Amino acid sequence: MTGADRLSQAAFKFKALFNAKNSTEFAQIVKIDSQYTTTVLRDVWNADGNWNALLTQRSTTLLSDLSLAHFRASVEFCQSNFVEAYTHQLSSYQAFLRAFSNMDRWGVDPLLAMSKDLYLLSCRADYQLTRAGQPATKLEEATRAINQGFSMCMTDREPLANLSRKWGTYHLANLLFVLYFRQKAFNLCTNMLRGIKTTELPPLDQFPMGDQVTFRYYRGLLAFQGEQFAAAKEDLVFAMEHCHRDAYRNRTRILMRLTPIMMIEGNMPQSRLLQKYPLVNALYGGLVRAAMLGDVCQFDALMQDKEQLLVSLGTYTAVEQVRRIAVRQLLYKIHLIDGKGSRLSFQLVRNGFWAAGMGDVSVFEIESILADMISAGFIKGYLSHDHGVAVLSKQLPFPPIKSVLAASK
């Protein structure tokens, strides 16, 4: 058997599986590194000693377009020629999309497998292009192609729900989230969410749990970026509670964004949780301790030290809000030292700030800080400017932090 014969035999298998609507096996063989693909290419090489059959074989049908481009992509992939591998994979993907328009739900799994390969190859291709001093455009190109597949799933008009391509919507949406976030195209994420919201889809809770967790994680990230912390918390808590317990890296990623929200609410993470996730502890542990101890100087120093990382994660402005808790705790300490009196003099606070290492804070600044604390509900009372004191409520002058922050939502 020649290499050309073996490729023809492989194309026949593609056709047979396609006609039989064998979703599981078809999804396996279209993977660029599948065992079947490896076997076919090994047979071609053993028969001819070269890849000429792949170069000279002519395509006569849509499925042969798909299979030939697939095998060409795999050869280039095995030789680490990722730009060429991506180009052939894109051709194979586009051929599949032409067929996918007439397919029902059985075509979803092969589409997902090919979409993932296209994404991974685009990343490797762009890396090679960048190293060669050429424009890296493959990721953006792959995004457009995958978006076509996503739209074909989301807008499917199949009347029978169990046969609808809509069951691929959330999986492809999650892949597009990855692509959009890599390109910082957050506006496209918002557009996609708007499209999903206005499309009649099966309820999210009927999709695989993996799709639900990933989708709600990214939706939570977008809400977090928009400082919609209540919505972000709801999605991130769901993702954390339903993420597989062994998926340590994913759980760490969720906590990196969920922890600042909890801190803003005064729900500081317990030491046991921080010890279980060292990366979260390294970033937020010191800030949590400084805030609860009222060590404003240490809090500010840590914010400065971790600024670059917090900015890169998009959590800096959220964590910055926790400083008010540190200030509240420091003022409470000063109040206790003063004997829990009903008045807190500006000068006493000024002396307390000096002792805490905050330098020479002016009386005007002290008055502004106390006014802010009273306005936010951290302190119950009022300011007497003429007497230079804060007159504190006789009942609970320093309300519990959680109750204050809950009331401010």
Side-chain angles (χ1 to χ4, degrees), residues 306-322:
K306 301 176 185 296
E307 179 179 1
Q308 188 173 353
L309 181 54
L310 291 170
V311 169
S312 68
L313 288 170
T315 61
Y316 183 87
T317 55
V319 178
E320 195 175 31
Q321 297 181 39
V322 181

Side-chain angles (χ1 to χ4, degrees), residues 83-303:
V83 177
E84 293 80 2
Y86 165 80
T87 301
H88 291 305
Q89 179 69 13
L90 180 62
S91 297
S92 181
Y93 189 82
Q94 290 171 334
F96 182 82
L97 287 183
R98 293 197 295 274
F100 189 63
S101 61
N102 297 315
M103 297 163 70
D104 56 28
R105 185 178 180 177
W106 84 265
V108 168
D109 284 347
L111 176 66
L112 301 183
M114 296 184 72
S115 297
K116 183 178 179 181
D117 281 345
L118 186 66
Y119 157 61
L120 294 175
L121 283 173
S122 71
C123 294
R124 295 191 179 191
D126 276 349
Y127 178 74
Q128 286 191 336
L129 288 169
T130 300
R131 293 199 65 179
Q134 300 178 41
T137 59
K138 304 306 181 186
L139 183 66
E140 185 177 344
E141 186 178 45
T143 302
R144 290 195 294 270
I146 294 170
N147 188 57
Q148 285 182 299
F150 166 75
S151 297
M152 293 172 74
C153 287
M154 186 174 68
T155 60
D156 185 29
R157 295 184 178 181
E158 168 61 53
L160 298 177
N162 64 321
L163 295 179
S164 176
R165 295 194 303 259
K166 288 182 177 180
W167 292 103
T169 300
Y170 282 107
H171 194 102
L172 283 175
N174 293 336
L175 182 54
L176 284 171
F177 271 135
V178 174
L179 289 158
Y180 292 151
F181 268 74
R182 285 187 70 114
Q183 299 169 75
K184 302 190 186 308
F186 303 120
N187 60 315
L188 296 180
C189 293
T190 303
N191 293 342
M192 182 176 68
L193 286 177
R194 190 179 298 117
I196 289 174
K197 188 175 182 179
T198 57
T199 301
E200 188 175 344
L201 294 169
L204 178 58
D205 60 12
Q206 293 184 17
F207 284 77
M209 184 54 69
D211 288 353
Q212 294 182 50
V213 169
T214 306
F215 181 80
R216 296 195 66 169
Y217 167 72
Y218 279 106
R219 191 172 68 179
L221 290 193
L222 285 174
F224 186 97
Q225 289 183 349
E227 297 189 4
Q228 300 170 2
F229 295 127
K233 178 186 175 182
E234 182 180 351
D235 278 335
L236 293 175
V237 166
F238 178 92
M240 188 65 187
E241 290 178 346
H242 294 85
C243 184
H244 195 283
R245 63 182 181 182
D246 294 331
Y248 178 81
R249 289 182 61 188
N250 289 342
R251 294 173 73 86
T252 298
R253 290 174 67 188
I254 296 168
L255 282 172
M256 282 294 192
R257 273 72 177 197
L258 181 57
T259 301
I261 298 176
M262 306 304 288
M263 291 168 67
I264 290 172
E265 295 181 342
N267 294 316
M268 300 298 175
Q270 300 296 317
S271 58
R272 183 173 59 182
L273 178 69
L274 293 173
Q275 289 170 6
K276 187 176 179 180
Y277 296 95
L279 291 178
V280 179
N281 187 29
L283 184 57
Y284 299 117
L287 290 164
V288 167
R289 289 185 287 274
M292 295 312 296
L293 290 172
D295 192 342
V296 180
C297 286
Q298 177 67 4
F299 187 91
D300 290 344
L302 287 170
M303 286 294 291

Side-chain angles (χ1 to χ4, degrees), residues 356-372:
M358 295 178 65
D360 188 12
V361 183
S362 69
V363 172
F364 175 78
E365 289 177 282
I366 295 296
E367 191 171 359
S368 297
I369 291 169
L370 288 169
D372 178 63

Side-chain angles (χ1 to χ4, degrees), residues 342-367:
S342 61
R343 284 172 170 73
L344 196 61
S345 75
F346 299 165
Q347 187 59 47
L348 178 67
V349 173
R350 188 184 184 197
N351 294 341
F353 279 18
W354 175 272
M358 295 178 65
D360 188 12
V361 183
S362 69
V363 172
F364 175 78
E365 289 177 282
I366 295 296
E367 191 171 359

